[in-house]
Amino acid sequence: MRFDLNVCFSFSADVASIKKDVESFLKGYSKSLAEKDKTISFKKISITGNVLCFDIVSSGVLRPHNVLLNLKNNITREFGKKHHVGVREITVKGYTIEFEVIRKPLKKIVIPFADVFFDGTKVTMVLKQVDEGFLRRNYIDRMISLVKEKVERQYYEGKSEFWKVIWKSEEKKPVWYKDPTEEMIRRGWLQPGPSKGKWFYRPQAAAILKTMKKIAEEEVLLPLGFKEVVESNIVPFDIWLRTGHLEGMPSEFYYVVEPVTRDVEHWERFIDLAKITKEVPFEELKKNVTPPVGGICYAQCPMIYWSFKGKTIAEKSLPVLVYEKTVVSARYESGGRHGIERVDEFHRIEPVYIGTREQLLSLKDKLIQRYKHVFNDIFDLEWRMAWVTPWYMQQAGEIDSEDTHPRDTGTIDFEAYLPYRGSREKGEWLEFQNLSILGDKYVKAFNIKAQKSMLWSGCSGIGLERWVVVFLAQKGLNPDKWPEGFRKYLDKIPEGIEFL
Ligand code: ATP
Ligand code: ZN
Ligand code: MG
């Protein structure tokens, strides 16, 4: 790596008269730095009036942007004392950084704040006019990482996600081949709307959805000692900044805004327009609400982690086993929407577990055992488990695609055959839930500690609509044909509301 920072210091008074002093100070300073890093040097020193400009060049461990602030303090001390001049302003005129990437990019790469040029695997990143704060805030290092990540992603994009079956049930003969959503709409159990990807569950469909919730709690979570927590539905951005969701899925969030004020007078024009036009006065509304302050829950785990932020957990409380089942998850699925299995607002139960590595690995086995009990003994499903690489690990390059063995950390997807989508081989199976062990990623992000132990965490996203779809797609809508285990929970559909 090679760094060339061109910077100017403006002083409170003329420094041309003390040129010799300035030059010898910089020489001395550069010598002291050279003891730590031989490659660093000051070049092109020029002094005009009260402005001193120079380049800091290095290709070693000391990076000019890190040196700069210390240099400022030293200059202030030296010249304040000796010559009674202070530093008014530091202006970075340009910063050129050269570094190598592993592979050459497949197409053009752009990033904010800099122009990026490639010569094979050699990158030249040119920044113009950045302020001191920019350098202080570690942006430079992140920009370098971003370029590297973008190159790697270009290679990754073409490949399909890493996926390997680790267990599968035997084949089961489906009761029917229909799409349960369409059939439920036809029978009036379920109503599409009121807006994109949302649904209204009439008593018949609601009973099935509620049964899934009950089974998940009674057959999986409570027997394993999980305790219920209740979180807020609105997630402030700082939580997603810490978990990485903000940069991971900004195009999937439902954003939340607040009124600028609760003062009704401020809303008078909006109210009047609504009264007169009987339409939503969008232009007026824009003026009366803030920019987004957060979003609707995407998954429950980020806020659960937030609730433990900065805490030290007593050994006797480990492993922490909690679950959330009250808030809905909202995701802008756009073109992917289908039936109740891919919707913009859905019901999930999410257990989160925090404990030692050993505790979590043993819990993972127990969870899988309980899940198997539900899907085999109660639902009698045709399903499988696959080891997959989650997006954040792909991005961070933490797993390579040649890796075929499940590791301690990672995600297992639970997938089921949907008869209405065609043959087992050709039709796409539906992921109806997953289970992750995430190592120390989130406990680190939220600074969660134990008295002695090193902590790991994980979560499992139980998609209730997906449970409904896979069950009904294989077992049909007639309770008489449902497996005995399930009939213990629900053996008849509540009578519907008759419409004339
Ligand atoms: P997919 O690949 O199907 O989009 P995902 O990887 O985005 O799923 P996760 O973020 O891992 O899903 O969420 C966990 C669970 O939440 C999924 O296994 C599924 O049961 C459920 N889920 C996710 N997105 C939806 C959706 N749009 N509609 C209904 N359920 C969903
Ligand atoms: Zn989660
Ligand atoms: Mg998704």
Side-chain angles (χ1 to χ4, degrees):
M1 251 192 248
R2 187 176 181 280
F3 298 86
D4 186 343
L5 178 73
N6 176 221
V7 63
C8 294
F9 283 62
S10 305
F11 290 91
S12 53
D14 189 285
V15 281
S17 55
I18 51 166
K19 194 166 179 218
K20 282 255 141 49
D21 273 8
V22 176
E23 281 169 355
S24 83
F25 167 80
L26 284 181
K27 210 177 257 169
Y29 187 78
S30 130
K31 235 189 205 155
S32 73
L33 291 179
E35 285 169 20
K36 286 179 227 152
D37 178 355
K38 282 200 299 292
T39 71
I40 199 158
S41 63
F42 289 79
K43 299 220 159 103
K44 298 189 202 153
I45 302 169
S46 76
I47 300 170
T48 354
N50 62 340
V51 181
L52 159 71
C53 297
F54 54 89
D55 278 15
I56 312 177
V57 180
S58 110
S59 51
V61 287
L62 283 186
R63 298 173 170 196
H65 59 277
N66 298 129
V67 166
L68 193 65
L69 299 172
N70 182 273
L71 175 62
K72 180 189 170 187
N73 294 340
N74 277 278
I75 287 186
T76 308
R77 207 174 317 125
E78 174 83 8
F79 292 85
K81 224 171 20 195
K82 243 194 198 157
H83 305 289
H84 304 286
V85 288
V87 179
R88 279 269 169 79
E89 201 186 352
I90 296 183
T91 328
V92 174
K93 299 276 179 192
Y95 198 7
T96 303
I97 299 159
E98 290 166 10
F99 58 97
E100 288 278 334
V101 287
I102 306 165
R103 295 181 271 202
K104 53 179 197 215
L106 302 171
K107 49 183 194 248
K108 193 173 152 64
I109 281 180
V110 286
I111 64 163
F113 306 124
D115 293 327
V116 183
F117 307 96
F118 280 87
D119 178 7
T121 56
K122 195 177 137 204
V123 190
T124 308
M125 194 166 88
V126 183
L127 287 88
K128 293 185 194 101
Q129 293 286 355
V130 287
D131 63 23
E132 195 194 327
F134 190 98
L135 300 181
R136 199 181 315 138
R137 282 187 227 115
N138 205 22
Y139 288 1
I140 301 291
D141 297 320
R142 293 194 200 122
M143 286 164 72
I144 295 170
S145 310
L146 183 60
V147 171
K148 291 180 176 171
E149 184 194 312
K150 284 194 157 185
V151 175
E152 281 311 294
R153 198 179 306 161
Q154 291 182 344
Y155 282 87
Y156 198 81
E157 262 165 9
K159 290 191 191 166
S160 54
E161 191 192 46
F162 174 75
W163 180 91
K164 186 175 184 275
V165 174
I166 53 173
W167 183 91
K168 77 170 193 268
S169 74
E170 63 220 54
E171 287 189 8
K172 302 272 160 80
K173 190 174 161 24
V175 167
W176 69 339
Y177 289 87
K178 286 194 175 153
D179 179 340
T181 302
E182 282 171 18
E183 196 52 27
M184 284 196 286
I185 297 171
R186 204 182 61 76
R187 296 186 186 194
W189 295 10
L190 187 69
Q191 188 185 356
S195 59
K196 287 183 292 192
K198 324 286 184 315
W199 292 85
F200 188 94
Y201 287 75
R202 295 202 186 284
Q204 302 96 316
I208 304 172
L209 190 71
K210 298 288 273 192
T211 302
M212 296 309 182
K213 211 177 208 176
K214 193 157 191 259
I215 292 174
E217 277 187 286
E218 291 185 8
E219 301 285 348
V220 181
L221 301 172
L222 299 178
L224 292 177
F226 279 87
K227 297 195 181 95
E228 189 181 353
V229 294
V230 176
E231 68 177 40
S232 159
N233 217 336
I234 296 172
V235 186
F237 287 135
D238 57 323
I239 293 185
W240 282 339
L241 260 175
R242 276 179 196 261
T243 56
H245 283 79
L246 194 74
E247 56 196 71
M249 43 265 315
S251 63
E252 287 185 46
F253 295 144
Y254 268 81
Y255 291 95
V256 172
V257 301
E258 289 177 355
V260 170
T261 167
R262 193 177 175 281
D263 180 0
V264 218
E265 265 172 44
H266 190 91
W267 286 84
E268 187 176 333
R269 188 171 160 75
F270 177 89
I271 296 165
D272 291 348
L273 286 169
K275 279 183 178 165
I276 297 169
T277 65
K278 290 292 170 208
E279 279 170 14
V280 183
F282 284 107
E283 284 309 312
E284 186 61 20
L285 182 61
K286 273 191 213 156
K287 295 182 211 154
N288 290 350
V289 294
T290 64
V293 294
I296 299 179
C297 172
Y298 181 91
Q300 289 104 313
C301 58
M303 199 174 289
I304 295 180
Y305 289 119
W306 162 85
S307 78
F308 293 109
K309 185 176 135 196
K311 300 270 189 245
T312 304
I313 303 169
E315 296 291 318
K316 72 175 176 50
S317 297
L318 297 178
V320 169
L321 303 174
V322 293
Y323 70 100
E324 215 292 338
K325 64 162 186 180
T326 63
V327 309
V328 294
S329 299
R331 299 183 185 182
Y332 192 76
E333 294 282 3
S334 191
R337 287 181 200 110
H338 180 86
I340 58 165
E341 61 258 39
R342 186 170 296 280
V343 290
D344 278 28
E345 185 187 37
F346 53 97
H347 302 81
R348 295 186 353 141
I349 303 186
E350 184 161 3
V352 169
Y353 23 94
I354 304 174
T356 63
R357 175 179 174 278
E358 290 67 32
Q359 286 171 337
L360 291 209
L361 293 180
S362 127
L363 177 76
K364 173 174 121 187
D365 293 340
K366 286 190 224 155
L367 264 171
I368 289 178
Q369 219 178 341
R370 299 302 307 178
Y371 283 140
K372 271 188 175 167
H373 162 63
V374 172
F375 307 137
N376 292 336
D377 308 336
I378 301 179
F379 293 178
D380 187 37
L381 285 185
E382 177 169 348
W383 66 290
R384 67 189 176 203
M385 286 189 272
W387 174 250
V388 295
T389 309
W391 56 269
Y392 47 85
M393 285 190 168
Q394 284 169 18
Q395 282 178 343
E398 284 170 34
I399 273 183
D400 70 73
S401 49
E402 312 306 317
D403 198 343
T404 50
H405 289 287
R407 297 191 187 175
D408 290 350
T409 58
T411 296
I412 295 168
D413 275 359
F414 294 64
E415 304 173 345
Y417 168 49
L418 294 185
Y420 78 84
R421 281 189 186 173
S423 70
R424 291 182 172 79
E425 298 70 34
K426 291 218 182 90
E428 201 194 329
W429 290 38
L430 181 68
E431 175 196 331
F432 57 93
Q433 66 163 35
N434 59 24
L435 186 161
S436 301
I437 302 284
L438 301 163
D440 63 3
K441 180 183 157 73
Y442 288 137
V443 289
K444 255 199 189 143
F446 288 91
N447 192 24
I448 304 167
K449 295 201 174 78
Q451 269 165 311
K452 292 194 254 50
S453 308
M454 295 285 292
L455 291 181
W456 272 20
S457 77
C459 61
S460 176
I462 305 175
L464 295 171
E465 279 81 354
R466 301 262 173 111
W467 277 29
V468 171
V469 167
V470 300
F471 179 74
L472 298 180
Q474 292 189 17
K475 305 295 171 196
L477 299 187
N478 179 358
D480 297 341
K481 297 199 174 152
W482 288 348
E484 217 27 62
F486 191 84
R487 287 174 55 86
K488 286 206 182 98
Y489 279 92
L490 188 71
D491 62 358
K492 59 174 183 297
I493 296 293
E495 194 150 330
I497 303 150
E498 214 169 293
F499 298 102
L500 301 175

